[in-house]
Amino acid sequence: MGSPLDEYSSEAMDESLPATPLHGQFLAFGSEPTTGLGTPPASEADDTSMASEGAPSVYTFDSTADGPLVRELHGRTFNSTNQVYVLPADDEEQDRQDMQHRSLYHFVGGLFPWPERVEPLLAPSNTHRPAILDIGTGSGTWVLDMGRRYPNADVVGIDLVPPLIEVQNIPENCRFEVDDANLSMMHYASTFDFVHMRGVESGIHDFESWLYSIAQILKPGGEMMLTAGDYHPYNEHRQYMPVTEEGRPGFSWFTKYYSTFMDMWKRKGSNLDAPFHWEGWLRANPNFEDVKVWELWMPVGPWESNMTPDRIRASLLFRRSAIQMTRSCMAALIDDGYPREVVELWQRESEKEIVEMRSKLRCTTTAIRFTAIQISYRQIKPVYQSSRNDTDCAMGSPLGEYPPEAMDESPPATPLYGQALAFGSEPATRPETPPASEADDTSMASEGAPSVYTFDSAADGPLLRELHGRTFNSTNQAYMLPADDEEQDRHDMQHRSLYHFVGGLFPWPERVEPLLAPSNTHRPAILDIGTGSGTWVLDMGRRYPHADVVGIDLVPPLVEVQNIPENCRFEIDDANLPMMHYASTFDLVHMRAVVPGIHDFESWLYSIAQVLKPGGEMVLSEAFQPPTNNVLSLTLVKGTGDYPPYNEHRQHMPITGEGSPGFSWFVKYHSTFMDGWRRKSNLDAHLYWEEWLKANPNFEDVKVWELWMPIGPWEPNMTPDRTRASLLFRRSVVQMTQSCMAALIEDGYPKEVVERWQREAEKEVVEMRPKLYVKWNWAICRRTQQPWIPRHQVSSEGMSDDSPGGT
C-alpha cells in the first residue's frame, strides 16, 4: 500500500504494495499518496525490529484465502487476526473510543500533552513535510483531528480493522491502514516525526522488544507518546479499590466485574501491566532520551466539588465511555466460559453503580488514572561489523568487517503459498544437462528420482497437512517442525539475529566474497538448501544482484512472487533426491537446519559436493540438541546450534526432575521434543560433520568456529547491536517452544501437559531465568579441483562404510 508521505527517499521506492479499501473491502484508504512505499533506507534497513520480524507490516488480505477480517462472537464483532486483543471491533466499540477520545481532549487540554516538544516538529517547513503515525487508531478520530489541525502534515492511522469512516470524510492528508503493529514496520524506517499510541499495550506481544521497532520508524529527534489507562479503579481519595466479596464492606460490582475481565485478558496473553514498566524500559533503551512521565486522574462522572463546566462535560462523556466499556467486556467473558446470566448481572449492576456514581455499599466514587509518557528518539550509528566477544571464537574468528551494503534489504512480503512448484524470476543462467564427466556419477544419497519434480495434488496428495492447529509438509515425515507462516516468522527472526551475531550473511567473507564478485566470464550461482522463509535468498539476491540465487525446500516460502528479486528463484524440492541436473553449477552452497530432514547425511555430502563447482564453498548451520557436550562442526560454512542451551558459564545444563536443583522447564520440554524427533531422524549427524568432511575426498580446507548466542540481553556491557540481536533471538526461541507443541501432542503426550511445559518454558525464556546460551558451531569447506568422486567409488577402494553415526 502506497505511503501517504511526501518525504521518502527515492531509494526506498523500488516496490509498491496494493492500495485502498475498507471493512472487508479496503485495507488502506484515505488520500492517494504522492510517493510509493518501499525498501527502508540502507542506513537502517537491517537494524531489525525486535518485536516481530519477518512479515511485512502492511499486507494484502484476501478473505477467501486468509479468512474474514472480522468475526462474530456472542452478538459483537471482533478482529480475526490478533486473538490477544479481546475487545470488539464494531461501531459500538468505536463509539466508545470516540467518547474516550473527546473526554481525554478536554482533560489533557488538547490532542496531546507537552505541546512545547511536539509543536516544533509539526510546523510547516519548506524542506520537508511532517509525518505522524497513530498506532491502534481505533475509531480514527485522533487521526482526523490531527489531519485537520496540521494540514501541512501527513497522518497515518493503523489498526487491526479499519475505522468506520466514510472515505469522503477523510481529510486529504490522512490515511488509514489495516495492520498488526506486532509485525515489522521496516518499510517505515526513519519516516515519522511523531508517533502516538493510546491503549495499545493490550495487543502487543512483547512490549519491551517492540519499543525497538518503534524507535526504528521515528526520525532522529522525533517524539513518541504513549498513553494507557491503569486498568484499576480508584476511589475518590485516589486509593486502589480491592476486589472483595459481595456483602462485605467496600464491595463494588464494577470492581469485581472489571477485575474479572482484566484477569481473563491477561490469561489470553495480554501484558496489561506493561505501562508500569514503560519508564524503566524506555530509559534502558539506547534509542531514546529525555523521558518524561505524567499522571492524569479522570473522574468517572461529575462528582468532584467545584468542577468547571468544561470538566463537567468531560467527566460526563468519560462516564458514558465507561458504561460502554462494561458492555464491551461481555462477549469475551461469555466466550471464556462464564454463564451469560452471571455476566449480564455483573454488567447490569456495574452500569448502575457508574450511572449513580456510587459503590453499592459505600458512597465512594471512582477515578481512573491515565499515564502518559513522552520520549524523544536519538540517533545511534548502526554497528555492522561483528559484535562478538573475542572468546566467542575458540578456534579463531572467521569474521571480517561486514560492509553496510549488506544491510540493504527490504522486509519479506506477504504470505502466498506458491501455485507453481518453482517460482521467481527466470534466472540468467538455467540449470543445464550435467557435464559428461559427471552426468553418470549419480548421487549416493537417493537414486532414481529427479530433484525438481512435477507435483499433482490429486495423484500425490496435498503438499501440506494440518496437525493440531499447525500446518506441516506432507512429503517428508522426518521433519517435525511446522511449515506455516508462524514458523517462517521464526525463521526470519533467527536469520536476522544470526546476521547480527555473525556480522553478515555468512562468516569467512574472505573466502566467499571472491567467488561472488562480478565477472565478465561467468555469472555466480548460489544455492540455499532448506530455505525456510526464503529471507537468506532474498538478502543474498539484493546483496549480489549480478548472481543467481536458488532456494529449495519442502514447501514454498511465504513470499509474493512480485517481491522476489529478478535474480532469485524458489523451488519445491526434497533435498534427499538427486540433484544431478545441478552438477558443477554453484559457487556457494548454503544450508541451515537441514540435518533432521536428511536420511543419510554422510552419503548426502557427496551429493552436495557434486553440485558445487571445483573451488566452490559450502556453508551449513544447525540448531539441535546433541547427546553430549561435544558438538563438532562441518567444513562448509556451517553453524550448528547446540540445544538444550548452556548456562551463563557456558556449562551444559543437564536434564533433572522437577523440584531438583538446576531444574529447567525449557530444558525438559525441548529435550523431550528432541528425543521424539531423534526416534524419526538422525539429529546427531552433525556430531560427525568434521570427521565426514575431512574423510570426503571431494572437500578440502575445512575450518571450524564456535559462536555463543545469549537468549536475551542478560550479558553485562552488551553493545546496542548485540542487545538487539539477543532480543530477537529470544523471540525466536519463544516461537520455537510454540512450534514444538503439535508434534508432541501427536506423539501421544496429553495436550494439557504439553501446554503446561510450553507455558513454563516460555516464561523461563522471557524472564531470562536461568541465563542461557546457545552454542553454534560453524565450519567451511571447499570443493577440490579434482573430478568429483562418488561415495560408492570411495567404498569400493577400501574405505570403510562403518563410520560412526552412518545409517
Side-chain angles (χ1 to χ4, degrees), residues 1 37 128 144 216 228 254 262 349 364 514 524 730 764 776:
M1 301 176 188
L37 175 68
H128 74 284
L144 301 181
Q216 187 185 26
F254 177 75
M262 292 301 165
E349 294 296 333
T364 58
R730 180 175 67 178
E764 280 189 0
W776 287 74

Side-chain angles (χ1 to χ4, degrees), residues 219-232:
K219 294 178 183 176
E223 299 276 358
M224 176 174 72
M225 190 172 294
L226 305 90
T227 306
D230 193 328
Y231 295 107
H232 298 100

Side-chain angles (χ1 to χ4, degrees), residues 99-126:
M99 288 185 282
Q100 179 178 275
H101 167 77
R102 291 196 291 273
S103 63
L104 276 167
Y105 183 96
H106 286 287
F107 282 111
V108 171
L111 290 167
F112 45 79
W114 296 291
E116 70 279 6
R117 288 177 58 165
V118 177
E119 290 282 3
L121 298 173
L122 308 182
S125 170
N126 293 327

Side-chain angles (χ1 to χ4, degrees), residues 52 56-59 79 81-83 135 158-160 177-185 203-205 210:
S52 180
S57 173
V58 184
Y59 53 92
N79 87 84
T81 56
N82 185 329
Q83 304 304 312
I135 300 176
I158 64 173
D159 211 333
L160 296 168
E177 295 176 349
V178 173
D179 190 0
D180 186 344
N182 289 284
L183 303 178
S184 171
M185 291 190 280
I204 301 301
H205 304 151
W210 186 69

Side-chain angles (χ1 to χ4, degrees), residues 86 231-232 240 243 255-270 272-273 333 336 338:
V86 296
Y231 295 107
H232 298 100
Y240 174 71
V243 181
T255 301
K256 175 183 177 65
Y257 178 54
Y258 202 64
S259 298
T260 302
F261 177 79
M262 292 301 165
D263 288 344
M264 177 273 298
W265 203 346
K266 289 180 182 179
R267 290 199 312 274
K268 298 285 186 182
S270 180
L272 298 180
D273 297 325
L333 284 170
D336 198 48
Y338 290 93

Side-chain angles (χ1 to χ4, degrees), residues 577-594:
L577 302 178
M579 291 190 279
M580 291 168 52
H581 56 287
Y582 275 143
S584 298
T585 296
F586 295 103
D587 299 275
L588 174 64
V589 173
H590 171 271
M591 59 196 82
R592 184 185 296 160
V594 299

